[in-house]
């Protein structure tokens, strides 16, 4: 995510920028560039070669400055078809009530990762984290606190009568991560990105 690579990417069209401004108030349109399918492929291939987890990738130092990268939902779905990206916030799937859902866009940079869905407050099962169901907001936000350290808003754990919100992910080592919630914390395996 270098400044040079960002400068070579196209800016989104005006309707896309207007839509982004509605979904993420205050977004700086002049800082947004659109990541191509080739760029996504190259980024994920490099993450696999480095043995990176999604937490490593999404807290990269290149995402902590003011540059913004937009990835459209169609490109995300293609990436999830070619790579195993073990995250709670999947690009698409079916809700527990049987409805299709998808991520409309992913916006990375300026110290954050924003995931924008086509539904609000929908419940899912996740094959990577199958001990509970999860409810996702229409906008799930990750704040980059440092390498391997991210705040979270917009994800609720469905644990019976208790419904804690996930508030932070912190990498503890090469294969462990601490998941903090409004009800306490737990350690979980940290899974790498893999090519399918």
């Amino acid at each position: 995510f270098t400044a040079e690579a960002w400068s070579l990417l196209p800016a989104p069209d005006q309707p896309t920028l207007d839509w982004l401004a509605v979904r993420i108030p205050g977004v700086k349109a002049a800082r947004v560039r659109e990541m191509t399918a080739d760029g996504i492929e190259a980024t994920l291939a490099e993450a696999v070669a480095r043995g990176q987890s999604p937490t490593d990738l999404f807290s990269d130092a290149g995402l902590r400055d003011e540059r913004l990268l937009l990835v459209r939902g169609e490109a995300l779905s293609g990436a999830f078809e070619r790579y195993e990206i073990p995250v709670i916030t999947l690009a698409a799937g079916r809700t527990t009530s049987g409805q299709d859902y998808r991520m409309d866009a992913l916006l990375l940079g300026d110290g954050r990762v924003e995931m924008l869905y086509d539904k609000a407050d929908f419940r899912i099962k996740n094959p990577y984290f199958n001990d509970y169901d999860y409810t996702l907001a229409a906008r799930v936000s990750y704040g980059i606190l440092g390498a391997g350290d991210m705040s979270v808003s917009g994800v609720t754990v469905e644990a019976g009568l208790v419904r804690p919100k996930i508030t932070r992910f912190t990498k503890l080592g090469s294969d462990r991560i601490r998941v903090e919630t409004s009800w306490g914390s737990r350690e979980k395996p940290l899974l790498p990105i893999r090519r399918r």
Side-chain angles (χ1 to χ4, degrees):
F1 303 117
T2 66
E4 182 182 0
W6 176 88
S7 69
L8 299 173
L9 295 173
D13 59 28
Q14 194 59 50
T16 299
L17 292 173
D18 293 344
W19 174 81
L20 268 180
V22 171
R23 296 294 305 268
I24 308 173
V27 70
K28 304 288 192 253
R31 297 178 182 171
V32 181
R33 296 292 180 271
E34 189 163 347
M35 205 165 181
T36 64
D38 288 345
I40 296 163
E41 181 72 30
T43 299
L44 290 172
E46 185 175 338
V48 169
R50 292 182 176 186
Q52 289 184 314
S53 70
T55 303
D56 297 316
L57 180 64
F58 293 132
S59 64
D60 185 86
L63 298 176
R64 294 180 222 160
D65 65 22
E66 62 186 21
R67 292 173 286 127
L68 291 164
L69 295 168
L70 174 68
V71 183
R72 293 183 188 261
E74 304 81 37
L76 284 168
S77 293
F80 273 79
E81 288 171 7
R82 293 187 302 278
Y83 292 86
E84 286 189 17
I85 307 170
V87 291
I88 288 175
T89 43
L90 299 173
R94 291 180 84 75
T95 68
T96 56
S97 61
Q99 296 179 307
D100 290 334
Y101 73 88
R102 72 175 188 281
M103 195 182 297
D104 287 329
L106 173 67
L107 187 70
L108 309 103
D110 201 22
R112 62 187 175 171
V113 177
E114 303 281 0
M115 299 178 172
L116 306 175
Y117 285 99
D118 67 339
K119 291 186 173 26
D121 302 321
F122 57 99
R123 189 167 175 165
I124 65 167
K125 294 186 179 299
N126 186 299
Y128 301 110
F129 307 96
N130 56 15
D131 46 355
Y132 298 107
D133 290 353
Y134 300 90
T135 294
L136 306 182
R139 175 182 169 190
V140 176
S141 300
Y142 295 85
I144 303 171
L145 304 175
D149 193 8
M150 304 182 79
S151 64
V152 185
S153 67
V155 181
T156 302
V157 181
E158 299 295 338
L161 296 176
V162 179
R163 300 182 70 238
K165 296 189 180 302
I166 296 178
T167 58
R168 190 171 184 176
F169 291 118
T170 306
K171 183 178 177 178
L172 301 176
S174 61
D175 63 352
R176 302 296 293 171
I177 191 167
R178 183 172 60 243
V179 180
E180 295 182 29
T181 75
S182 55
W183 194 258
S185 65
R186 299 175 91 182
E187 287 190 24
K188 296 276 196 181
L190 183 64
L191 304 173
I193 299 168
R194 296 184 189 278
R195 195 183 296 272
R196 291 189 187 279

